Amino acid sequence: MARLADYLRGRPYAPSGPLWERAVRRWKTLKSDEGASFERSLAIDATALRPMVTWGTSPDMVAAVDGRVRTRPNRPMRCDAPGWSGR
């Protein structure tokens, strides 16, 4: 928990002041149930992951922030939102 709190402290959208202390106290109460078992544990080296951005509801609507947005040939862009002109 200490490493997570150190990471979150001072970040955008993280609580601050008295709310920070309250949040940390609350987070410390979150534990696995006594006797809980897990099928497996995973260790992921997140330093190898690049930040990603999404723009939709499908897993193929994602790209690395330093990447390029793919376009689908022969498929026009479409949006049914009010005020969208498609131009």
Side-chain angles (χ1 to χ4, degrees), residues 50-53 62-68:
R50 295 190 332 243
M52 307 295 278
V53 61
V62 62
V65 295
D66 60 352
R68 295 180 61 130

Side-chain angles (χ1 to χ4, degrees), residues 9-87:
R9 185 185 315 272
R11 294 210 175 248
Y13 307 108
S16 60
L19 291 177
W20 171 257
E21 299 304 325
R22 181 178 175 192
V24 170
R25 281 194 306 273
R26 172 69 177 115
W27 294 335
K28 286 180 179 180
T29 69
L30 303 174
K31 300 185 184 328
S32 297
D33 292 339
E34 187 70 35
S37 62
F38 303 92
E39 286 186 26
R40 62 184 177 183
S41 292
L42 299 175
I44 298 173
D45 179 9
T47 62
L49 301 175
R50 295 190 332 243
M52 307 295 278
V53 61
T54 66
W55 58 90
T57 57
S58 172
D60 69 337
M61 296 176 168
V62 62
V65 295
D66 60 352
R68 295 180 61 130
V69 174
R70 295 184 304 125
T71 59
R72 297 180 185 173
N74 303 320
R75 191 162 179 193
M77 292 187 69
R78 183 175 163 212
C79 181
D80 297 320
W84 175 261
S85 68
R87 293 181 218 162

